[in-house]
Amino acid sequence: ADRYLLFTSKYRSLLNFTWKGLDSAQKTLRSIRAKLASYPDGGELITEEVEKFEKALNDDLDTPSGLAILHGVLKGEYAEADKKATILMFDKVLKLDLDSNAGSDAGDQEVPAELTELLNKRNLLRSKKMWKEADEARAEIENRGYEVVDLPEGSSLKKKD
């Protein structure tokens, strides 16, 4: 989280460190990691986004713009597998360990694949405005001991306490 927080400020600028800022960076990393974990593997790089990312970093190491591009990919209208491949390529430079659940809450476990598939199905149903079926998928996930967390970046699963 500290690395992510540092990347939100240009390296020549002073960083206003606060514990709240560090906590926010941790929550953002968890959200990104959960989102990527729900995406399938095997995607292609999104060339235009990779070029924008490289241009930002080559422009006096503009990491805040690089992070904005990363979030733009997450919110963009691209295939999930392509988003994952592209963001993991960004992570080869950023070294935020985005392809793992590192830094997640203590006691978190790997989400079973069938629940990840059910979450993806729920998201698809929601995008088609099939609310009743989406609610049924959510109820099934909750019956299996997980809760659905809806964030601006997308939905993720969290083990119930």
Side-chain angles (χ1 to χ4, degrees):
D2 53 347
R3 187 177 190 92
Y4 183 91
L5 180 62
L6 290 172
F7 286 156
T8 63
S9 176
K10 284 195 171 195
Y11 78 95
R12 292 181 191 235
S13 302
L14 290 176
L15 174 69
N16 182 21
F17 177 85
T18 63
W19 291 109
K20 184 177 179 181
L22 186 62
D23 185 49
S24 176
Q26 182 66 43
K27 287 178 183 176
T28 301
L29 278 175
R30 284 184 188 144
S31 172
I32 293 170
R33 288 176 179 142
K35 193 68 173 161
L36 288 180
S38 73
Y39 290 164
D41 292 325
E44 300 289 324
L45 293 178
I46 305 166
T47 308
E48 63 270 15
E49 299 293 346
V50 171
E51 289 172 359
K52 288 193 298 190
F53 182 78
E54 289 174 348
K55 184 178 179 185
L57 293 186
N58 287 332
D59 181 19
D60 200 30
L61 200 60
D62 188 0
T63 55
S65 292
L67 290 179
I69 293 164
L70 184 150
H71 287 282
V73 170
L74 272 178
K75 294 178 182 180
E77 296 294 323
Y78 303 109
E80 290 179 347
D82 294 347
K83 289 180 182 184
K84 184 173 186 175
T86 302
I87 291 171
L88 291 180
M89 193 288 297
F90 296 170
D91 195 40
K92 288 181 181 179
V93 175
L94 300 173
K95 302 289 187 197
L96 294 170
D97 201 22
L98 297 176
D99 63 341
S100 75
N101 284 327
S104 61
D105 290 333
D108 278 358
Q109 298 176 357
E110 187 73 24
V111 175
E114 65 265 7
L115 290 182
T116 301
E117 290 174 23
L118 194 54
L119 178 66
N120 291 337
K121 177 182 172 186
R122 175 185 174 265
N123 290 338
L124 179 64
L125 291 168
R126 290 180 72 207
S127 71
K128 293 181 179 180
K129 300 191 185 308
M130 299 172 73
W131 308 118
K132 182 179 180 203
E133 294 85 353
D135 287 345
E136 290 170 358
R138 180 187 200 107
E140 177 64 26
I141 290 169
E142 290 177 351
N143 287 340
R144 294 188 188 187
Y146 285 81
E147 68 179 276
V148 177
V149 180
D150 291 318
L151 302 168
E153 297 86 24
S155 302
S156 64
L157 297 177
K158 179 181 174 188
K159 184 97 170 140
K160 286 185 179 178
D161 294 330

